[in-house]
Amino acid sequence: MAEIGEKPFRAKQLSQHYFARYAHDPEQWTDIPAGARGKLQEALLPELMTVVRHLSTDQGTTRKTLWRLFDGTLVESVLMRYPDRVTMCISSQAGCGMNCPFCATGQAGLDRNLSTAEIVHQIVDGMRALRDGEVPGGPARLSNIVFMGMGEPLANYKRVVQSIRALTDPAPDGLGLSQRGITVSTVGLVPAIHRFADEGFKCRLAISLHAPDDELRDTLVPVNTRWKVREVLDAGFEYVEKSGRRLSIEYALIRDINDQAWRGDRLGRLLRGKPVHVNLIPLNPTPGSKWTASRPEDEKAFVEAIAAHGVPVTVRDTRGQEIDGACGQLAAGER
Ligand code: SAH
């Protein structure tokens, strides 16, 4: 503020508008002289991103947003309202460089990292929409955030960590959300997991495992050629010790590729006795791919093989498939 010749107390006013009232339109800054608003917006809260379109399903309770960033880059976020909670799935990068063959985002490669502000704004807009009753079911508050949209969050480390601070610092410095409601999902960048464990967050960590054996994981999650299943899990367990949170294991079930009962058994052995939860995700087929979701009987046998080791396991509900809800599909269709 001082640098642009404004009164320092305007900093707090502007923070209040953005983080406490979700008001980024200068017209709403009524405690700031109209003549000063344009300058403040330009210098401190420029319009970073605009909605290309919203797509809704599940009677409006699942809403996907396609964003265009200031330089034309496209990213997606998804809001999912359940009877007892509201979750937002946000992007940390435009595109992704991890190249997992079953993921739509992975096919197009990495455009660029999102800035901290671009990550945070997805949430601010979602909170505003919920408050304003834009999502059927009456005004609501956001309870959970998952970094499971486009991108590998730990490959955009600094900005993701800064965004977690902005999401969880109390207003007016941040949005005042609970760290416990935030999940960071990673392919398993081991050094970054160690570093993340030392941040002192109470966030949940999810590891996208997708195979219990290195031979198959090398092909499904190519970064596995650098950091193996054993190393990734050990880094995850270290995070568990430091954060006190259970580790989530993500596993997309792909028909006849990684869904054999013996692989379920092997996964159960790796995780037995550990504070983990296995999330099985029926594969959401991407256009042009020969892969598809598992047969119901194979899925059931896979679940039982894991559960036999006393490891908690659930199959994730698949919202938003009819609106290209799977990672990167909406942006891919826009290209
Ligand atoms: N890069 C991070 C977060 C983004 S993807 C990660 O890999 O964890 C969020 C989750 O969706 C990951 O577990 C990812 O493997 C999974 N996913 C990607 N494409 C999918 C598809 N077509 N069907 C089901 N799950 C998919």
Side-chain angles (χ1 to χ4, degrees):
M1 286 295 172
E3 237 172 64
I4 61 169
E6 273 294 334
K7 304 237 171 23
F9 70 82
R10 298 244 180 268
K12 191 165 176 194
Q13 285 179 318
L14 217 56
S15 294
Q16 283 281 358
H17 283 304
Y18 191 66
F19 287 121
R21 302 192 191 99
Y22 323 136
H24 75 290
D25 178 358
E27 301 233 316
Q28 298 169 291
W29 306 343
T30 50
D31 54 355
I32 297 173
R37 291 178 207 161
K39 180 169 90 176
L40 291 181
Q41 180 193 30
E42 199 179 314
L44 295 157
L45 273 179
E47 185 148 79
L48 293 176
M49 48 211 279
T50 51
V51 174
V52 177
R53 78 176 89 92
H54 295 295
L55 286 179
S56 295
T57 182
D58 303 319
Q59 287 84 47
T61 57
T62 301
R63 181 171 96 151
K64 182 156 187 168
T65 305
L66 179 64
W67 296 97
R68 191 184 307 280
L69 308 182
F70 73 93
D71 58 356
T73 308
L74 298 169
V75 291
E76 309 165 4
S77 58
V78 190
L79 189 154
M80 290 156 284
R81 182 168 193 170
Y82 301 88
D84 58 332
R85 67 185 194 280
V86 185
T87 300
M88 272 196 81
C89 176
I90 58 170
S91 296
S92 56
Q93 298 182 309
C96 185
M98 297 298 124
N99 210 20
C100 303
F102 56 90
C103 172
T105 305
Q107 302 323 295
L110 178 66
D111 285 331
R112 67 167 171 88
N113 283 327
L114 299 194
S115 67
T116 303
E118 287 165 337
I119 296 170
V120 171
H121 192 69
Q122 299 168 59
I123 298 295
V124 170
D125 184 71
M127 292 175 80
R128 184 203 50 73
L130 285 166
R131 179 200 61 195
D132 293 349
E134 281 180 20
V135 183
R141 294 186 62 87
L142 184 65
S143 32
N144 298 295
I145 294 169
V146 295
F147 281 88
M148 294 187 188
M150 301 174 88
E152 166 51 43
L154 296 187
N156 187 14
Y157 188 88
K158 228 175 83 188
R159 297 171 193 91
V160 164
V161 163
Q162 278 169 352
S163 75
I164 293 171
R165 298 225 162 84
L167 296 173
T168 58
D169 279 350
D173 298 320
L175 290 166
L177 296 165
S178 157
Q179 287 181 3
R180 305 187 71 82
I182 298 178
T183 299
V184 173
S185 178
T186 179
V187 288
L189 306 182
V190 166
I193 295 175
H194 290 310
R195 202 172 153 199
F196 194 63
D198 288 330
E199 300 287 347
F201 290 141
K202 295 278 173 228
C203 303
R204 190 188 287 274
L205 183 72
I207 290 180
S208 297
L209 202 65
H210 305 314
D213 52 306
D214 287 318
E215 194 184 349
L216 179 59
R217 194 169 192 265
D218 282 350
T219 67
L220 294 179
V221 185
V223 78
N224 194 71
T225 55
R226 181 77 174 76
W227 295 290
K228 298 295 172 194
V229 169
R230 186 71 265 159
E231 288 173 88
V232 173
L233 288 179
D234 285 345
F237 297 145
E238 181 206 325
Y239 182 82
V240 162
E241 271 182 23
K242 292 195 172 155
S243 66
R245 301 297 308 276
R246 266 201 303 176
L247 181 68
S248 288
I249 301 293
E250 313 283 300
Y251 198 110
L253 280 174
I254 313 174
R255 183 183 296 187
D256 297 331
I257 300 289
N258 66 351
D259 64 352
Q260 304 82 356
W262 72 264
R263 282 205 160 89
D265 177 64
R266 188 134 161 204
L267 183 62
R269 277 175 208 281
L270 285 174
L271 303 177
R272 184 162 52 190
K274 300 287 189 183
V276 297
H277 180 268
V278 178
N279 241 316
L280 299 175
I281 319 168
L283 185 82
N284 197 340
T286 59
S289 167
K290 53 188 186 303
W291 289 342
T292 189
S294 301
R295 295 171 201 89
E297 60 272 26
D298 293 339
E299 178 183 293
K300 187 163 171 283
F302 196 85
V303 169
E304 282 165 5
I306 296 170
H309 294 280
V311 174
V313 49
T314 47
V315 180
R316 185 186 290 168
D317 118 80
T318 52
R319 277 205 181 193
Q321 287 197 343
E322 56 285 31
I323 53 168
D324 290 344
C327 315
Q329 293 189 356
L330 194 57
E334 185 75 13
R335 265 170 234 275

